[in-house]
Amino acid sequence: MSLVLDPAAQDLLFREARTANTFTDEPVTDEQIQAVYDLVKYGPTAFNQSPLRVTLVRSQEARERLVQHMAEGNRPKTLTAPLVAILSVDNEFHEELPELFPHAPGVKDAFFSQRTVREQAAGLNGALQAAYFIVGIRAAGLAAGPMTGFDPAGVQKEFLDGDHTPLMVVNIGKPGPDAWFPRSPRLAYDDVVTTV
């Protein structure tokens, strides 16, 4: 059985997708990011908990604050990307569940009354939403440079609060010269999929 999605879209979203390391100076607009969000917000999460939160870093002052917490090799990319997003999870996501999961009003207290349970659920579902976000950036014709090379505690203190845990930092823009490293190998189907 073949895929239903057009081959060009398959290439755009997956086969040609790589982490961008350089960007042009073409701006990324609020309208573009709004369009990305309006698409990827429909990606499923458990109990529709939707814990991902996005902090857009645009100003030079905020960017310089962020770069202090980035790994050395990631600093130049973050300084020159047209837009940078800090993707974090809201560990108090359960407060939104009466609105987001209205057909089961008891879910908030039955499953998510303990902070440790919420943190685990938010981490898993937030990572899933971060993947949707990256694919959405590709769908907008932009390149994404997701990075986990940063000091999470420093980023949290600088930009978030105790209820939000940073997952990754994503540089966003049109790819610049020599944006891509060579394609790395992938595992074969038989190395990954097991039938029992």
Side-chain angles (χ1 to χ4, degrees):
M1 178 178 166
S2 62
L3 299 173
V4 179
L5 189 65
D6 177 79
Q10 295 173 35
D11 289 342
L12 175 69
L13 299 179
F14 294 99
R15 292 190 195 99
E16 295 175 3
R18 299 193 212 166
T19 296
N21 294 288
T22 68
F23 299 90
T24 69
D25 58 3
E26 184 178 332
V28 176
T29 67
D30 290 337
E31 292 77 17
Q32 287 172 299
I33 296 301
Q34 176 79 47
V36 168
Y37 176 73
D38 286 341
L39 173 65
V40 303
K41 69 183 179 183
Y42 294 109
T45 57
F47 297 104
N48 198 32
Q49 60 191 249
S50 306
L52 186 73
R53 302 296 180 264
V54 181
T55 303
L56 298 177
V57 180
R58 283 199 184 275
S59 73
Q60 188 62 33
E61 179 270 333
R63 192 178 302 253
E64 289 170 4
R65 287 170 36 217
L66 175 60
V67 165
Q68 295 176 33
H69 305 288
M70 301 300 296
E72 188 70 35
N74 291 334
R75 291 176 181 179
K77 296 182 273 192
T78 301
L79 279 172
T80 58
L83 181 64
V84 182
I86 300 168
L87 303 187
S88 63
V89 294
D90 181 357
N91 294 304
E92 298 298 311
F93 68 85
H94 67 307
E95 296 296 343
E96 307 290 341
L97 287 178
E99 178 182 347
L100 295 176
F101 209 64
H103 52 282
V107 163
K108 173 187 168 189
D109 297 319
F111 289 96
F112 300 111
S113 61
Q114 295 180 346
R115 172 74 179 224
T116 55
V117 172
R118 291 195 305 274
E119 288 175 350
Q120 183 177 16
L124 175 63
N125 288 279
L128 184 61
Q129 285 188 285
Y132 298 149
F133 183 82
I134 293 166
V135 172
I137 293 294
R138 298 279 306 165
L142 299 167
M147 303 171 293
T148 56
F150 65 94
D151 172 23
V155 169
Q156 182 183 42
K157 183 176 180 183
E158 192 77 40
F159 292 95
L160 308 170
D161 59 32
D163 290 332
H164 293 78
T165 303
L167 292 175
M168 66 182 67
V169 174
V170 183
N171 296 323
I172 304 168
K174 293 284 188 179
D178 302 316
W180 322 113
F181 294 144
R183 168 71 74 194
S184 296
R186 296 297 190 266
L187 294 172
Y189 177 86
D190 291 340
D191 294 331
V192 175
V193 178
T194 304
T195 302
V196 295

